[in-house]
Amino acid sequence: MAILRGQSPEETVRLASAAWDAGLELVEIPLQNAQSADALAAGAAEAARRGRFVGAGTITSTVLVEQAAALGARFTVAPGFDPEVAARSLDLGMPHLPGVATGSEVQAALTRGCIWLKAFPAEALGASWISAMRGPFPEARFVATGGINARNARQFLSAGAGAVSFGAAFAELTDDDLIHLT
């Protein structure tokens, strides 16, 4: 997954297209201000045109969940777990990817219907955290997020992460990096 933060609507569409063309399935566009709302709307329109998916990131309230849905997001992502945010997103038919960093957060998110979980901040947690959490929570699917780059992504995937997210490191990926990750 590519995270496209702080881009203009035009640059968001260009980068999202590059991500999809490179084989990344999902794009997250953080929803933090008016420009990011415009970028999310533009990215969601392009995703719909191409049969792809765009989600809204940094969703920390039910108000933002509703705004994300209105702008065309197909899923939501949060830096932490809030049961009300998760419930509202799921009620609107959008899968929710909450940030988790403890066993208690993993268990709470799973109990609320979230199967895909954002291991955040992944670089600080380490790849071994993914392996450790997969033991008691085999049904959980982790997306390693935060500090992921071409050098460490394979470690997280090998440890059991179902996916990785590239933020600022997305622009640095080469075609060869992408081939080795798939």
Side-chain angles (χ1 to χ4, degrees), residues 69-157:
L71 292 168
R74 300 287 302 273
F75 62 94
T76 58
V77 183
F81 175 67
D82 179 320
E84 291 178 15
V85 169
R88 186 64 185 138
S89 189
L90 295 170
D91 286 347
L92 291 174
M94 294 185 298
H96 183 63
L97 182 70
V100 296
T102 68
S104 295
E105 290 171 339
V106 172
Q107 185 171 339
L110 289 170
T111 300
R112 296 296 178 126
C114 299
I115 302 301
W116 283 91
L117 308 173
K118 173 178 163 177
F120 180 76
E123 184 178 40
L125 293 170
S128 62
W129 184 90
I130 302 281
S131 298
M133 290 296 115
R134 297 277 299 142
F137 305 109
E139 69 278 25
R141 300 293 173 253
F142 294 102
V143 179
T145 306
I148 302 299
N149 56 52
R151 292 176 305 283
N152 66 8
R154 176 57 54 204
Q155 293 170 337
F156 285 92
L157 293 169

Side-chain angles (χ1 to χ4, degrees), residues 16-58:
S17 295
W20 294 318
D21 291 346
L24 298 179
E25 295 293 322
L26 302 174
V27 170
E28 173 191 336
I29 302 167
L31 182 56
Q32 297 177 288
N33 54 41
Q35 178 179 316
S36 65
D38 292 342
L40 177 57
E46 182 64 14
R49 187 183 76 72
R50 292 181 61 152
R52 300 297 187 145
F53 298 99
V54 162
T58 317

Side-chain angles (χ1 to χ4, degrees), residues 65-73:
V65 170
E66 291 172 14
Q67 184 181 8
L71 292 168

